[in-house]
Amino acid sequence: MRSPASTVFAVSLLVTALAGCVTSDRAGPSGVPAGSTDNCATAQVKIFFDFSNASPARCVIDGMREFTLVFGPEHIPPINPSPWYAFRYEASADGPVTVRLAYLEAEHRYTPKLTRGGAISILPVSVAVDRRSATVSVPAGSGIVSAQPIIDARHYAEFANRMTREFGGKRLDLGYSLDGNPIQAMRFGEDQAPQLIVILGRQHPPEVTGSYALEPFLEELARALNRNPQLRARYQILAVPLLNPDGVDHGHWRANRGGVDLNRDWGPFTQPETRAVRDWMASHAALTRPLAMIDFHSTGQNLFYVQGDEASDANTRFLDAWLTGKEQVFEDYAFTIQKRNANPGSGTSKNWFFQCFAIPAYTYEVGDDAEQSGTETAARILARDFLTALPELDRSDAGTPKATGQTCTNGVV
């Protein structure tokens, strides 16, 4: 068995070498491999990184049933570190396996989940005092250990198929990622509907719980438009539930395949994923104008980032009609509302959509440990309330591009 001192030394060597050491043809921008990396094994345990969503990692064998896995960001320094990890294992029935999760440039954030036989359970974990590592005990057998339940591109494709089949929407490929994956979207409502609602999700790969809210939220909107001809003649929806397919596939913390945080690329538009949304909007600008944008994310608690004192009267009426006073209404989904003025040039979707179109552009943040059922229930009710609040914006000039000096979308990009 390797001593703690020798493990620390080995890990320090890995830290030094990680960015420049590539053993996979799926290397990320900083040289850290994406997807399959160092599978490692003893006579009793095998650990693999050979599946979609698996983490770029390095593995140190500390003993027959003891391992240290080192996870690093795809670019340094990471913005708001979200240290994702995911690996699968096979272990003989000789007792538990000890796995130490060591993070570069980050602290422990996500509680380990074990997926086996279709069931997901929480694993016991001991977090180091400095939070730069955590130790988890994995039961014998086989399974996948991950920071959050794995929701991959296949899931989103199946979701889109069901949504368009049930609610009469259309599937669209807005463009392609650097890996050649389609930027898949759904469109609901009449093509000539004059007002556009934009729904975005999974800009940041680990933020899985945002999908717990996005999917039922979108389902309620699509169902309402499908049932009500007046609604679908007035509103159309462009939904992109998986904006960062490469980052999700490669197990990234924040960025796409180009090493760029997509939620810092609205305005610069250096990456194909954000350009795909912008270009679609530009090509349809003669027919429809943005009315509202909701971007689904995850963070430490349930909250909504909304416009600050810069919001117009119509924006304020919409916020009051939709969210204000409901913070404690849901038994399993309490949330807060945080008002923040736009920060021009920051590159977030919230800021770009507001700066360009003066519309409510909100970030819908779901807590990392939010309970799925309560999240879904709240999202369905909030979606219905969202539709009820939209007429507050119909009487405003929301969606009319502002002369802000930014590169906006109104037929000229």
Side-chain angles (χ1 to χ4, degrees), residues 5 18 36-37 47 59 61 81 89 105 114 122 131-132 198-199 221 228 238 259 288 291 363 395 397-398 408 411:
L18 186 58
S36 178
T37 59
I47 293 180
C59 178
I61 299 173
Y89 74 97
E105 303 291 330
L114 172 63
I122 302 297
R131 302 193 63 81
R132 300 298 294 271
V198 178
I199 305 290
L221 297 186
N228 188 324
L238 178 72
T288 185
L291 185 68
T363 307
R395 300 192 297 271
D397 62 354
C408 296

Side-chain angles (χ1 to χ4, degrees), residues 107-127:
E107 296 180 359
H108 180 75
R109 173 172 172 177
Y110 299 108
T111 303
K113 284 84 178 174
L114 172 63
T115 302
R116 60 196 319 182
I120 299 173
S121 58
I122 302 297
L123 289 172
V125 62
S126 175
V127 181

Side-chain angles (χ1 to χ4, degrees), residues 105-345:
E105 303 291 330
E107 296 180 359
H108 180 75
R109 173 172 172 177
Y110 299 108
T111 303
K113 284 84 178 174
L114 172 63
T115 302
R116 60 196 319 182
I120 299 173
S121 58
I122 302 297
L123 289 172
V125 62
S126 175
V127 181
V129 174
D130 65 1
R131 302 193 63 81
R132 300 298 294 271
S133 66
T135 302
V136 59
S137 180
V138 178
S142 62
I144 291 177
V145 177
S146 56
Q148 293 285 32
I150 290 177
I151 302 181
D152 59 14
R154 181 173 58 182
H155 167 91
Y156 291 103
E158 292 171 352
F159 172 64
N161 285 337
R162 179 179 66 81
M163 289 286 292
T164 53
R165 182 177 63 250
E166 294 184 7
F167 304 121
K170 300 176 182 178
R171 290 191 60 176
L172 309 171
D173 286 345
L174 303 185
Y176 294 90
S177 69
L178 291 172
D179 274 351
N181 291 311
I183 310 303
Q184 296 183 337
M186 290 171 273
R187 187 181 186 187
F188 300 95
E190 301 293 342
D191 290 352
Q192 303 296 320
Q195 296 173 324
L196 176 67
I197 299 161
V198 178
I199 305 290
L200 303 175
R202 224 49 203 279
Q203 293 203 67
H204 298 144
E207 296 182 11
V208 169
T209 59
S211 292
Y212 294 169
L214 184 153
E215 293 183 11
F217 188 91
L218 178 60
E219 184 172 336
E220 289 299 312
L221 297 186
R223 178 182 287 111
L225 267 62
N226 188 49
R227 291 177 175 176
N228 188 324
Q230 291 182 327
L231 281 180
R232 65 175 179 264
R234 181 184 304 170
Y235 307 119
Q236 60 175 293
I237 300 167
L238 178 72
V240 191
L242 176 59
L243 188 61
N244 189 353
D246 294 356
V248 169
D249 182 45
H250 288 275
H252 285 183
W253 294 13
R254 291 282 291 192
N256 72 339
R257 195 70 161 95
V260 174
D261 185 330
L262 293 182
N263 205 32
R264 299 297 184 273
D265 194 50
W266 295 88
F269 294 110
T270 66
Q271 300 303 300
E273 296 88 349
T274 51
R275 286 199 302 268
V277 177
R278 177 203 64 180
D279 292 350
W280 186 92
M281 292 174 59
S283 67
H284 292 76
L287 301 176
T288 185
R289 64 185 177 89
L291 185 68
M293 188 283 298
I294 310 295
D295 185 8
F296 288 78
H297 286 260
S298 303
T299 190
Q301 60 179 317
N302 304 322
L303 63 89
F304 287 84
Y305 288 121
V306 305
Q307 274 65 58
D309 56 16
E310 65 193 354
S312 67
D313 289 344
N315 277 226
T316 300
R317 290 195 304 269
F318 171 78
L319 174 64
D320 289 344
W322 183 31
L323 296 176
T324 303
K326 299 173 185 174
E327 294 91 331
Q328 303 296 323
V329 166
F330 304 107
E331 181 178 356
D332 296 317
Y333 198 81
F335 63 85
T336 60
I337 299 171
Q338 296 192 21
K339 297 182 178 182
R340 292 189 177 184
N341 285 348
N343 180 14

